[in-house]
Amino acid sequence: MTYGNRNPLDSLDPTAMKEPKMPPTAPPVDQQAAARFAPARLDVVDLTASYRGLPAVADVSLTIEPHRVTALIGPSGCGKSTLLRCLNGMHLMAPHATVTGQVLLGGTDIYDPRVNPIEIRRRVGMVFQRPTPFPTMSIRDNVLAGVHLGRRRGRGTHDDLVEQALMRAGLWKEVRNRLKAPGGGLSGGQQQRLCIARALAVEPEILLMDEPCSALDPISTLVIEDLIKEIRETCTVVIVTHNMQQAARVSDTTVFLNVEYAGVPGRLIEAGPTEQIFNAPQQRATEDYTSGRFG
Amino acid sequence: MTGIPADRAAAPLRRGRGRGDRLFHSGVTAAGTVVVLVLLATVVFIVIKAWPAVSHYGPGSFLSSDRWAPSDAVANQADPNPYGILQFLYGTLVTSAIAMVIAVPVSIAVALTITDVAPQRLRRPLSALVDLLAAIPSVVYGIWGIFALIPALRPFGDWAATAFDGIPVLGTVFSGPFSGVSYFSAGVVLAIMVLPIVTAVCREVFATAPCAEKESAYALGATRTEMLRMAVLPRSRSGIVGASVLGLGRALGETIAVTMLIGDNVLSITRSVLGQGATMPSVIANEFTEANQPFHLSSLFVVAGCLLALALVVNALGRLIVRRTGENIA
């Protein structure tokens, strides 16, 4: 896959968003303080995300409250991953991808051309389905990969930062004696926690997780689920999962998306406290899905 | 219940292979054998042809002198060997080094442009264009080099000829005057000639960088440059080495364009890259038709043998490096 949309010639589609190199008036952000004390609220307003003009998910409006774990559930093809990727602008990295509507991070639309997308991706971190440690880097360098970005000087040792991030990801005890070993030598579950540590080291306000356990064994899955509940203390979590038990176990809020048949965009059916979505859904489709009647 | 029909189950298994299969098998085996035989025959032939000069002058005498004087062969048939070949070895190594210094960084940049930087719709045409560079015949590069490249290089050559005076190493490397046809001009043309192969291999290597890792880099807030340095280049190190070695193999053996551009100074080692010299392929190409002095032709076969050995060593070394660096990644 390539990232064509970042090139001006590629964005002939008028709705395509370009990435400005130097935003003329980027909103001032005190990233560190914001991350430490109060993750911003995330409001999605009338969001439609398309590939090659075909909407994958349409007309989504949604609020993601700080310090909560929000789970996005729904059948395959309902656009939950696309929606997740819209929350930090990653969606536009795909070729021929476009977005309409708004994603307001603390009131600022992340798709405003004046907003620096790199800043957004630092504030809204992401963990992917498969663990992706950088294979040539040591465990330590993997954790610091994001921290070192954009800094030409002052590459300190960051020992405390490495320890802290690995502690938060629940990996410190297992790797503290081999921080210089390559990250690719860890087990799958450890690698995924390393990726979580790497994302947390940048101190994001919001952490997006795209089916983070689907490539892992049940024990590793449990470890990561426990982790998610702890991460909530410091940052907001949005998790895509096709495992309803997982959504019920880890999330405070659940958002159910559905797609009627292949070819039409997925839509938000119902969002609410997890308890309500699973025990007293307002919509018939939600009940059918959570009770396992389809999907 | 449906089972295997009785007649089919009872049919005897065919023994051996059909005639077509046997024919195909022996054909393929023959083709494979021919490759090995040709390689062996080449080596044997070179050794046989080089043998008279080697046994007459002694094997070490070729590599201990940079005096190539076929006309002395009659006057002084005894030692010293008038067929010293160090200057050709030097010429080959210097022109190839110049080519690699220029071509490798440019190729990496071009390959990254094609895989990750250029607008989507320009990537294929750009890639095809680079491949087309490889289709230009060597002799065309030679004549283009003489009439277009050398005049273009002259301002730099004239400047470099005096700019480094007095500086220890650079002063010698760039001592003037710039003679137009020179190691430098030949090296630059070689760089253009090896660019397509190095670019093509780098392009393939960069294209294998997993999308997930690229996205991870972006998700951490990387710019495109940082993403390339984080997720694409580190894992491509062995591939870049492999690409460079392939390019080097080409540069070492390239003949016609270099022969046209290097000035054919066979007399001794010219240290300055701005001066004229000769390479192992160029001296063979220039002299084999008129090699009528004693041991002249045989000495050219000594040069050919050394070139073959150099090419084999470089290839082996390259493979070794690729395998070693490859282990760190996998």
Side-chain angles (χ1 to χ4, degrees):
Chain A
M1 197 177 98
T2 46
Y3 302 96
N5 250 10
R6 311 186 70 207
N7 302 297
L9 278 178
D10 228 19
S11 311
L12 293 177
D13 185 340
T15 51
M17 302 287 172
K18 277 183 245 168
E19 185 182 295
K21 281 224 168 75
M22 284 296 292
T25 52
V29 180
D30 188 348
Q31 193 187 330
Q32 301 271 319
R36 281 256 163 73
F37 302 113
R41 216 171 95 127
L42 199 59
D43 292 291
V44 179
V45 184
D46 287 333
L47 188 87
T48 298
S50 313
Y51 296 99
R52 291 181 184 274
L54 292 175
V57 58
D59 308 321
V60 173
S61 294
L62 170 73
T63 293
I64 290 161
E65 297 287 350
H67 291 304
R68 296 275 174 81
V69 176
T70 302
L72 306 182
I73 62 169
S76 295
C78 70
K80 51 193 190 300
S81 281
T82 303
L83 174 60
L84 188 79
R85 293 165 64 87
C86 285
L87 301 184
N88 69 344
M90 285 294 284
H91 173 65
L92 290 186
M93 304 298 250
H96 308 289
T98 52
V99 168
T100 59
Q102 291 180 310
V103 175
L104 302 168
L105 178 62
T108 310
D109 183 10
I110 69 165
Y111 292 111
D112 185 327
R114 290 169 304 171
V115 170
N116 183 351
I118 289 166
E119 167 100 36
I120 296 300
R121 295 201 297 267
R122 287 180 83 82
R123 288 177 65 185
V124 185
M126 195 159 189
V127 172
F128 297 85
Q129 194 167 348
R130 296 194 164 275
T132 54
F134 298 120
T136 53
M137 292 185 192
S138 66
I139 291 173
R140 199 196 133 74
D141 289 344
N142 261 291
V143 175
L144 292 175
V147 177
H148 283 328
L149 290 172
R151 294 187 196 171
R152 289 286 164 270
R153 254 164 259 168
R155 292 197 172 192
T157 51
H158 297 298
D159 282 337
D160 47 339
L161 188 64
V162 173
E163 180 174 344
Q164 208 179 27
L166 286 170
M167 291 267 246
R168 287 173 74 189
L171 192 60
W172 175 247
K173 280 183 188 156
E174 290 155 67
V175 301
R176 67 173 163 204
N177 292 324
R178 45 172 172 154
L179 292 176
K180 294 210 166 117
L186 299 173
S187 75
Q190 288 173 325
Q191 287 187 13
Q192 191 63 302
R193 279 180 283 152
L194 179 60
C195 292
I196 293 172
R198 182 174 68 186
L200 290 176
V202 190
E203 305 207 321
E205 293 166 50
I206 299 170
L207 187 63
L208 309 178
M209 304 177 107
D210 191 354
E211 299 190 22
C213 301
S214 65
L216 304 181
D217 61 276
I219 307 274
S220 302
T221 301
L222 277 180
V223 172
I224 290 188
E225 284 181 9
D226 287 341
L227 199 63
I228 290 168
K229 292 175 206 156
E230 282 172 34
I231 294 172
R232 186 176 55 180
E233 305 292 318
T234 46
C235 77
T236 310
V237 175
V238 184
I239 179 171
V240 163
T241 175
H242 56 222
N243 177 337
M244 276 178 288
Q245 287 75 33
Q246 183 170 62
R249 281 192 299 261
V250 302
S251 70
D252 306 301
T253 307
T254 297
V255 177
F256 173 62
L257 293 103
N258 199 5
V259 62
E260 281 169 51
Y261 49 89
V264 301
R267 287 173 195 279
L268 190 150
I269 303 298
E270 190 172 355
T274 298
E275 201 130 298
Q276 180 195 320
I277 296 290
F278 280 92
N279 297 329
Q282 311 282 304
Q283 301 288 330
R284 182 66 199 267
T286 313
E287 192 180 345
D288 286 351
Y289 184 74
T290 53
S291 61
R293 236 163 283 168
F294 83 100
Chain B
M1 189 187 130
T2 54
I4 302 165
D7 56 334
R8 222 170 76 207
L13 288 168
R14 256 193 339 164
R15 214 187 288 159
R17 294 175 296 212
R19 204 155 67 99
D21 191 22
R22 273 204 309 272
L23 252 169
F24 179 76
H25 185 262
S26 44
V28 171
T29 312
T33 317
V34 163
V35 172
V36 179
L37 285 182
V38 166
L39 183 69
L40 264 174
T42 310
V43 173
V44 168
F45 182 76
I46 287 174
V47 169
I48 290 174
K49 287 295 200 175
W51 186 248
V54 172
S55 62
H56 186 264
Y57 296 114
S61 65
F62 288 93
L63 287 170
S64 60
S65 147
D66 67 341
R67 191 174 72 94
W68 180 267
S71 54
D72 286 3
V74 182
N76 181 8
Q77 277 199 27
D79 289 330
N81 183 355
Y83 298 111
I85 64 168
L86 274 184
Q87 71 278 37
F88 308 133
L89 193 67
Y90 180 83
T92 298
L93 293 179
V94 166
T95 48
S96 301
I98 294 170
M100 297 324 287
V101 165
I102 299 171
V104 170
V106 174
S107 299
I108 292 172
V110 172
L112 284 178
T113 307
I114 291 171
T115 54
D116 289 285
V117 180
Q120 204 83 44
R121 67 197 64 206
L122 290 185
R123 289 178 187 182
R124 275 170 155 277
L126 195 60
S127 178
L129 220 60
V130 174
D131 287 343
L132 219 58
L133 275 182
I136 299 177
S138 177
V139 68
V140 174
Y141 273 115
I143 203 159
W144 171 80
I146 291 171
F147 293 105
L149 185 71
I150 289 178
L153 288 177
R154 191 165 285 286
F156 172 78
D158 290 340
W159 169 81
T162 53
F164 302 103
D165 280 351
I167 301 167
V169 178
L170 286 177
T172 316
V173 172
F174 289 105
S175 63
F178 177 56
S179 58
V181 286
S182 59
Y183 294 124
F184 181 61
S185 309
V188 173
V189 163
L190 273 182
I192 300 169
M193 296 179 76
V194 301
L195 190 94
I197 180 80
V198 183
T199 303
V201 176
C202 284
R203 190 185 62 204
E204 296 307 312
V205 171
F206 296 155
T208 62
C211 187
E213 273 172 43
K214 292 182 181 180
E215 291 203 320
S216 300
Y218 277 131
L220 287 169
T223 60
R224 185 160 54 200
T225 314
E226 288 165 335
M227 182 282 287
L228 292 174
R229 284 218 308 250
M230 196 182 254
V232 178
L233 287 179
R235 64 182 308 127
S236 305
R237 253 181 317 179
S238 62
I240 292 171
V241 173
S244 308
V245 168
L246 271 177
L248 183 61
R250 282 227 165 155
L252 290 175
E254 173 49 41
T255 309
I256 284 300
V258 172
T259 308
M260 292 165 83
L261 286 167
I262 201 162
D264 193 35
N265 171 14
V266 298
L267 296 177
S268 62
I269 289 181
T270 313
R271 286 222 178 83
S272 169
V273 300
L274 303 175
Q276 304 184 358
T279 64
M280 297 197 274
S282 85
V283 72
I284 298 171
N286 262 329
E287 298 192 0
F288 79 98
T289 48
E290 51 205 37
N292 46 20
Q293 300 296 331
F295 303 114
H296 190 174
L297 190 60
S298 185
S299 297
L300 288 175
F301 271 99
V302 175
V303 177
C306 289
L307 181 60
L308 185 69
L310 183 66
L312 289 180
V313 167
V314 164
N315 260 301
L317 206 72
R319 272 157 213 271
L320 200 76
I321 296 168
V322 169
R323 208 185 312 151
R324 267 218 209 119
T325 44
E327 276 165 10
N328 296 339
I329 290 175

